[in-house]
Each structure stands twice: as C-alpha cells, then as structure tokens.
Amino acid sequence: MGRLLRPVRRAVGISLLVAGGASAESLDLAQELLADADWPAARREAMRAAIALARPESERARAMAAIAWIRGSYSPEESAAALAELQRLAETAERPDVRGSAALEVGHHLLRQGCPDEAWPWLARAFRAGVSDETTLAAGAELLWLGRMNPSRWRRDPDLRLQIASLRVPLWNMPLVARERRGPPLSARPGLWFTRFYRRQIRPAIGNRCQLRPTCSEYFVQAARRYGWRAIPLLADRLVREPSVVQAAEHPLYEQDRVVYPDPVEAHSFWWAGSP
Amino acid sequence: MATLLVACAAVAADEEDTATTRALARELAEQGDPSGAAVEYRRLALREQHPLRRGGWRWMAAWEYWHAGRLEQAEALLDRVEAEAPTWMTPTLLLRAEIARSERKPAEAAFYFDSFAAATEAADARAYARRAAIAARLEGRDAAGARAALADWPDAPTSVAEAVENYVAGRDKNPQIGGWLGLVPGLGYAYANEYANAARSLILNGLFLYGMHETAQDEQWGAFAVIAFFEFTWYSGSVYGGLDASHRYNRRRADDAAATVRGGAAWRPDESALPTLSLLFTF
C-alpha cells in the first residue's frame, strides 16, 4: 500500500514545488511593482502570493499587499481598512521584519495624514524592531525630525532619544529628512494653505468636477511646489483654458465612469522651466 | 517511471500555464488594458530561465507600458533588457526612440531613430526610422536638421519632402509679442488664434475691473482688496496666457508637420514569434 502511494506523494510534492515557484514569482513581481509604485497591480500580486503561501511566509506577502493598498487608496474607508490590516500585522506578525515594515508604513501614513503624535509610537516600534538598516534608518530619521519639531516628545521615551542620537550622522543624510527640511518655497505657502482649505471645506460640498488631469487644485499645488508664486498666473491661465481643452478632447483618459483629459504643468512651463 | 510521468505532467502544466498567461496578456492588451498586459508579460519574464527569452518578455512588457503611458516603467524594463539580452539591442533602440518621443525629448528621439536606422538591415525598418527621425526633428522645431536628414535620404517620399517644406515656409508666433499683447486682457490669446480663451479672459478681467471700480466708488476697501487680488490673478494669467498660447501655437504647428511626415507609418512586434522579437512595419 505504501509503495502504491509513493508516486502520489511525490506528485503532491512536485505540485507543491510548482505552486511554491508560482507564488515566489508572484512575490517577486509584487516587489517589482511596489518599487514601480504600481499600487493596484502590486496589491493583486502580493495577495496572490499570500493565498498560495503558508505562515509565516505569507505574512510578508500580506504586508506588501497592505502597503500597496494604503498607498493606492483613494477613499478614507479604503485607507482605514488598509491601516487596520497594517496595524494588525505590526502587532501580531510572527516575522520581525514584517512587524518592522508594517509599523513603519503605519507611521508614514499617519504622518501623511498630519497626525505626528499618533505616528510617533509606530515609528518607535519600527525603529526598535531593528531588523534592517533601511527600516531602522527610515524610522529613526522620521523620529529625529518629529523630535526636533516638538522636543517634548522625547520626554515620553528618553531611551529612544539616546538610541537615535547614536545614529545621528547617517540619519541626517537621509533624503527624506533633507526633503522635509527644505519644504515648499515660502512664496508658495499661502497658496498651498488656500488650496488645503478649498480641498477640505469647499470641494466636498461641490464635488470633484474638474475634467482635466491633474485637477486644477492639484495643478496649482504642483506648480507652487516647483515654481513658487509663478503658480498664480499658471492657474489663472489654466482656468481660462479649461473649457477649450475639454472641447478639443485630445488624448482622452477613462477614469472610472468619466472621461478626463491630461493637461500637465510641464506642457505650459516647458519654454522657461526647461522641462519637456 | 511514475516519477518521470509526474515530472512530465508538471512540465506540461507549466507550459500550459505559460500559454494561458500569454493569451491573457494578449487579451488584456486588446481590451485596452496595456498595464495589465505588461504585468502578465513581466510574470512570463520572471518564469523564464533563458536570458534571451526573458529579455523578449521584458521588452514586450516595456512595449505595453509605453502604450499605457507609464514611460518610466518602460525605460526601467528596457535597461534590464539591455543588460540581460544584448541581442535585442536593435528593437530596444526603436522602443527607446518612441518613448523619448512620448516624453517630448525630440533630440533624444531623433538620436535613437538614427541609431536604429544604422543598426537595422531591413529596408522597411530603415524607411520607418528615417521618416520618424525627420518627424522628431520637426517636433523639436529643428527645421535645418529635418532638411539635412531629408537630404541624406535620396528616395524619400514626396509627401515627406512637401511636409518639411511647408513647415519651413510657415511662420511661428512670436511669444514676446504674445506676452506684450496679453497686457490687454485676452489679446495675447487672440494673437495665437485662441479666440474662445481670449473672450473668457476679457470677460473675467472686465467683470473684476468693474467690481474694483464699484467698490472703490463706494469706498468699500475690504471688498476692493479681495476683488483686486482676484483681478491681479486673472490679469497675470492674461499676460502668461499670451506668452504660453504663442508657444502652444508653435508646438502645435510643429506637431502637425511631424504627423504629416509620419503619415500612416507604424510598427508593432510580431506576437506569434514571441518571445523572439520580430518587428512588423506598415506604411
């Protein structure tokens, strides 16, 4: 009986190997797509791998799927669900690298949402996970920056301050900190505040009706970050042109249930900013 | 024996899986989802052991990403093709040229088209590349370069020569004049034949100037300041629009000439030969 069953056992072994190969391939593909910032495709591939793999290997795939989900989420509901999944992984995953990267992503997300105090414990958790230089340095850089903004944060955790102080030199070389330190040009800030007010208070009431991509508010934000006060005439020109661009209907893009038209900032600043 | 049979079955299953993935990629591309197709081609590349075949699938993924407008991803994949499978250098040059064209880097596109024309031996491929190189030079408003490239192509079609000569004979708008005319709201747009924009600019500036006048007469200085701020925005937009509209006009004129030069010329990879890269040209 045992001899009779041997080929069947081997067949199962080979099919598992094939499945393992396919899931490893999905995981590699998910990683490539994450690096390319192709969030929906990365999430799909990571989920495919997560289904095929067993724990604790599947946790890595689940973390990748959740990272792609939160980065590509458009609605607050989607974003909240992805955040909950990442928080669960940061707290309960068996693999320490998964716990570290999930905590780091939670911290980054909360920072993007403008909640530095909520982000702090997650970043500290990612820093303490200490599983890879990349995670430790990224979390440490964020913590250092947050500590600089509000030194009272260090009081909660004096040990953390000492640990981060020992990494201070490499941390200041992190591009993230350099970017944060630079910020948008001073002349652009009032316009960016006004845009934030418009997006939070006015747009929800009137709806997103702009048929161009980037939308007019996003066009202004992009222009202001790059060119400062010169974003004002660029925006006025865009608002005057908008009906003509829609009427010309060149290069339509299909976005959910509507047609939109590309009109990037570079197409109207190439002659003086040097971009294409 | 049983093990051998099972191994054969596994290999057959793997081949069937590859065929399914390939069919899925093709169908996604046909249904207008080139990004989805690119992901499937990347899956095939990851599955493939042989570098040449892997390079072929990666090149196809880059081709689909180019169609999807994901140019950075396409370029990154072509870098990997060049590193892994130098045999595909010639089709890679052509795809790089098309990507550079989509990125509005006409000088780079012309360079790659010229390099492709020099590297290929097929007459139809060379004819396509020469035509596209002239079109790229026109897109870069390099009329002298386009003429020189035309002179190097003795059997160029008359339509190409005519398009180049028509472009050279035409006149661009002067952006400086457009900017100065933009000081009169709407006139800069009108100079570049954008009459609807001109009318909108004139109306908006007129309304806000009227608002400023009325509030000043009533000595409502708070309302005056708010309206003046918005009027400054519209007015600066009129001047900027005058400059930009002239540039837009010039770019459109160059693009139209380039489109005439390209005519109906097109190319695509022969999907039946994949992952071997073989290109088909149509005129």
Side-chain angles (χ1 to χ4, degrees), chain B residues 2-249:
Chain B
T3 310
L4 189 67
L5 278 174
V6 169
C8 287
V11 169
D14 201 29
E15 272 175 14
E16 196 182 309
D17 202 21
T18 299
T20 310
T21 308
R22 190 177 166 161
L24 175 62
R26 185 184 281 196
E27 202 149 319
L28 284 170
E30 280 170 5
Q31 288 179 5
D33 180 9
S35 291
V39 170
E40 296 309 319
Y41 284 124
R42 288 175 83 163
R43 190 190 310 285
L44 287 167
L46 282 168
R47 198 174 287 168
E48 187 59 62
Q49 299 296 317
H50 196 279
L52 203 62
R53 293 168 68 86
R54 195 163 57 232
W57 293 126
R58 285 226 166 93
W59 187 95
M60 267 313 283
W63 154 267
E64 294 295 355
Y65 275 136
W66 170 55
H67 278 277
R70 292 172 175 260
L71 306 179
E72 274 182 35
Q73 277 172 294
E75 280 187 304
L77 283 168
L78 288 182
D79 289 343
R80 295 175 73 175
V81 173
E82 276 179 356
E84 288 175 351
T87 312
W88 301 136
M89 183 57 87
T90 310
T92 299
L93 284 171
L94 183 57
L95 192 48
R96 279 203 189 280
E98 299 291 4
I99 292 168
R101 206 185 132 243
S102 301
E103 287 175 328
R104 293 212 73 105
K105 293 177 180 167
E108 201 177 306
F111 167 78
Y112 281 122
F113 280 125
D114 287 341
S115 306
F116 175 75
T120 190
E121 285 171 10
D124 55 350
R126 217 172 15 240
Y128 175 86
R130 282 183 158 162
R131 196 184 266 262
I134 293 171
R137 286 188 171 91
L138 287 179
E139 280 168 359
R141 298 172 60 204
D142 175 13
R147 272 183 153 171
L150 194 63
D152 284 345
W153 189 15
D155 43 351
T158 44
S159 63
V160 173
E162 274 172 17
V164 172
E165 290 315 313
N166 285 343
Y167 178 76
V168 173
R171 285 188 66 181
D172 278 346
K173 298 287 180 189
N174 185 334
Q176 284 185 347
I177 295 178
W180 283 110
L181 288 174
L183 292 170
V184 179
L187 211 56
Y189 288 111
Y191 172 65
N193 301 351
E194 295 184 3
Y195 300 111
N197 292 343
R200 274 190 289 272
S201 180
L202 183 63
I203 291 166
L204 282 165
N205 276 285
L207 278 173
F208 279 79
L209 282 170
Y210 174 74
M212 282 170 68
H213 178 256
E214 288 296 300
T215 47
Q217 273 202 330
D218 296 347
E219 296 188 3
Q220 295 172 339
W221 298 114
F224 176 85
V226 171
I227 296 173
F229 170 74
F230 284 105
E231 171 48 22
F232 164 74
T233 304
W234 294 123
Y235 191 72
S236 65
S238 169
V239 177
Y240 188 87
L243 285 159
D244 191 43
S246 298
H247 283 285
R248 279 199 296 271
Y249 176 91

Side-chain angles (χ1 to χ4, degrees), chain A residues 41-212:
Chain A
R43 184 180 168 216
R44 204 166 47 238
E45 284 310 313
M47 285 176 77
R48 190 196 291 260
I51 290 165
L53 291 165
R55 275 189 91 181
E57 282 304 310
S58 67
E59 282 178 345
R60 196 172 146 234
R62 286 205 183 278
M64 283 166 76
I67 289 170
W69 192 12
I70 204 161
R71 290 188 189 176
S73 60
Y74 284 106
S75 68
E77 294 79 17
E78 227 187 317
S79 170
L83 186 66
E85 170 73 354
L86 278 168
Q87 285 172 332
R88 187 186 67 74
L89 285 164
E91 283 168 346
T92 63
E94 280 180 40
R95 291 175 56 139
D97 60 330
V98 171
R99 285 202 302 274
S101 53
L104 180 66
E105 189 63 30
V106 171
H108 276 158
H109 178 75
L110 292 170
L111 276 182
R112 282 197 297 272
Q113 298 293 305
C115 313
D117 289 320
E118 285 84 347
W120 181 273
W122 294 101
L123 293 169
R125 190 189 282 260
F127 181 77
R128 289 217 164 96
V131 286
S132 73
D133 286 352
E134 204 181 322
T135 309
T136 308
L137 284 174
E142 300 274 22
L143 287 165
L144 189 59
W145 178 248
L146 290 175
R148 281 231 158 176
M149 293 289 98
N150 184 359
S152 68
R153 290 188 178 113
W154 294 119
R155 272 183 231 131
R156 292 182 220 160
D157 205 340
D159 291 349
L160 188 66
R161 188 181 195 174
L162 282 174
Q163 288 166 4
I164 289 179
S166 66
L167 291 169
R168 212 180 175 88
V169 173
L171 285 179
W172 278 114
N173 293 330
M174 292 289 286
L176 169 119
V177 175
R179 193 185 65 225
E180 287 295 325
R181 281 158 77 193
R182 209 165 45 237
L186 211 60
S187 62
R189 287 184 195 178
L192 292 173
W193 295 331
F194 182 76
T195 314
R196 199 177 304 159
F197 171 77
Y198 164 78
R199 285 177 166 183
R200 287 189 182 170
Q201 306 297 331
I202 302 175
R203 193 165 67 181
I206 64 171
N208 184 6
R209 292 183 294 184
C210 186
Q211 273 187 275
L212 306 187

